[in-house]
Amino acid sequence: MFAPRTTPWPLVALFTAGYLAPYLLPTTVGRIERGLDLSATQAGAVGSALLLSSATAGFLLASRVERVGARTMARLGLVLAVIGYGGAALTSAVPAVVAGAVIGGFGSGTTTTVAATRIAAERDPHRASTLGLLSVSALAGLVYLTVPHLPGHGLTLAAIALTAVAVWPLTSRLPAGTPAPRVTGPQPAAPRLPHRRSGLVLAGAMVLWSLAQNALWGVSGRIGFAQAHLSEPTVGVVFAVALGAGLLGVVGAGALGSRLGRALPIGGGTVLIAGCIALTASATGLAGFAVGEIAWNTVYPVVLSYLIGLAASLDPRGRWAVLVGSASSLGTAAGPLTGSVLSAQAGFPVMGAVLGAGLLVVALPMTAVALHTGGRPLLPGAVRRRGGHPAALVAAGSGAPTGAVPEVGAPEQPVVEIPLDGTPAPARRAYDTAAATHAPGA
């Protein structure tokens, strides 16, 4: 009997607070562009600065979560998010808005780093990341239904700041930092990162994968306004419906689990995303724009959940999860500016074709990593030895057994002899020699 699974709600809440800024990127960039009278390229640069700051936080703090403590670092990230996004929402001065976006982005990245590190340590990282995607998609959809009916450039920024405030009470359930004992002699070397080649390939591929996603996402509002000739409330409804479809996609991914492995959802899903991007970028009316956005947002979180699970499986300590997530944030940061430049120079349809072709290329190494790397299973139930690593899972196949087997080479538990000092040793004469000639009781 397996122990019942508990839902890591503090991690889901941190995941939501950290990922909300990228999810609200189109309306954030559009509101800044129109509210502060900036060009499309300037507004895209502000969005890129926000996301680049978030990625920087991940790279700087990836190895410090355990030492500083998840609770302390999460609260630091939430405070920075409230100060940065809240300050940017309350001012109309462009330099102050940019500074607030950068500070808030660093706070989002800090929060995401804590969430990714702790989720990677869960028995079922895929389930935890799926719940996080469900939460952030639902909240972002609610914002997209509300914001278009209200004036002001800082409403989406204020929504992110208020989310950070709401998440704060849940941080009390996170572990605090444990000061390391003072070592006078030579210090032991830190354990090496496992699966280095696979991790580096996945991180490099995630840069381009995220860049393509957010290059379109950053200009999706402009495609709806300028090319599809839709109003802002209509575009907001399309985005909300698309994120709602994303909820269904994430639920489906959670129900599917490991039945198809990771390679097929990652590789096949990326190919589908490439087609959706090309369709959205070439849309000239409501039908094409809505179909492209809804189909894209349905598949995107499914693939993302498997990529998060794949990164988490590379290292039980969560280092690859944070580093791959930070690499993804680099691509996310470059996305809005890349989409703005490509669309301005070549138009939306050509931009979609270029991004789609890039996704088809990058799908190959990501699928190869998923096929090559075993990692932890997506579903719970892996055998863990006390003090050892998770057990290796035997893949299901024709003629192959299913289930978990202990990991080869894991250290066994030492056998400790307990002396019984208080028990006197019996005398030799108290016993007789066993022989067949003795009758019972003789």
Side-chain angles (χ1 to χ4, degrees):
M1 294 292 293
F2 296 116
R5 293 184 295 179
T6 57
T7 302
W9 291 118
L11 302 183
V12 173
L14 286 178
F15 189 101
T16 303
Y19 268 83
L20 186 59
Y23 265 70
L24 296 180
L25 188 64
T27 185
T28 301
V29 171
R31 286 275 172 154
I32 289 177
E33 176 186 352
R34 294 187 295 274
L36 302 181
D37 197 21
L38 300 178
S39 66
T41 303
Q42 289 172 334
V46 174
S48 292
L50 185 158
L51 298 174
L52 180 61
S53 179
S54 179
T56 302
F59 283 116
L60 293 178
L61 304 176
S63 61
R64 293 174 170 83
V65 175
E66 292 183 1
R67 184 169 66 252
V68 176
R71 183 191 308 166
T72 301
M73 190 171 290
R75 288 178 173 177
L76 173 63
L78 295 176
V79 167
L80 292 177
V82 172
I83 294 174
Y85 295 127
L90 296 175
T91 182
S92 298
V94 175
V97 171
V98 174
V102 171
I103 294 172
F106 196 90
S108 292
T110 303
T111 305
T112 304
T113 299
V114 177
T117 303
R118 299 299 303 173
I119 285 175
E122 291 287 312
R123 286 181 54 197
D124 188 2
H126 183 255
R127 176 174 178 266
S129 59
T130 297
L131 290 173
L133 289 172
L134 282 172
S135 176
V136 70
S137 297
L139 182 57
L142 180 62
V143 173
Y144 277 119
L145 286 175
T146 306
V147 165
H149 302 284
L150 301 173
H153 76 280
L155 288 176
T156 53
L157 298 171
I160 304 172
L162 292 175
T163 302
V165 173
V167 168
W168 177 278
L170 293 176
T171 58
S172 61
R173 298 168 58 183
L174 296 173
T178 303
R182 189 171 183 177
V183 181
T184 56
Q187 299 183 2
R192 293 183 58 187
L193 273 172
H195 304 291
R196 286 197 171 190
R197 183 179 301 175
S198 297
L200 290 174
V201 171
L202 182 61
M206 282 296 291
V207 173
L208 301 178
W209 190 85
S210 297
L211 185 147
Q213 311 294 327
N214 286 275
L216 178 67
W217 189 236
V219 298
S220 288
R222 289 171 51 207
I223 294 175
F225 302 144
Q227 184 171 279
H229 308 291
L230 305 176
S231 64
E232 184 180 3
T234 303
V235 172
V237 170
V238 171
F239 286 160
V241 174
L243 291 175
L247 294 177
L248 298 178
V250 174
V251 170
L256 185 63
S258 62
R259 290 178 178 85
L260 298 179
R262 291 191 182 103
L264 182 58
I266 290 174
T270 300
V271 172
L272 292 177
I273 289 173
C276 294
I277 286 179
L279 175 61
T280 303
S282 61
T284 56
L286 176 59
F289 181 75
V291 170
E293 286 285 343
I294 292 172
W296 173 41
N297 280 277
T298 301
V299 181
Y300 164 76
V302 175
V303 180
L304 180 60
S305 68
Y306 280 95
L307 287 171
I308 293 174
L310 175 60
S313 73
L314 297 179
D315 178 23
R317 297 184 63 185
R319 290 170 293 178
W320 274 126
V322 176
L323 293 175
V324 170
S326 299
S328 174
S329 297
L330 284 179
T332 301
L337 187 58
T338 301
S340 298
V341 172
L342 280 177
S343 61
Q345 298 296 324
F348 294 121
V350 175
M351 178 203 71
V354 171
L355 297 178
L359 281 176
L360 294 178
V361 173
V362 83
L364 297 177
M366 292 194 304
T367 306
V369 171
L371 288 172
H372 175 72
T373 308
R376 286 183 290 167
L378 293 178
L379 297 178
V383 176
R384 287 178 180 270
R385 293 212 260 190
R386 189 180 303 275
H389 299 288
L393 189 75
V394 179
S398 56
T402 16
V405 295
E407 184 181 8
V408 178
E412 299 293 341
Q413 297 298 313
V415 178
V416 180
E417 296 183 359
I418 304 176
L420 303 176
D421 297 332
T423 305
R428 169 78 178 177
R429 62 180 177 272
Y431 300 96
D432 200 354
T433 305
T437 57
H438 287 88

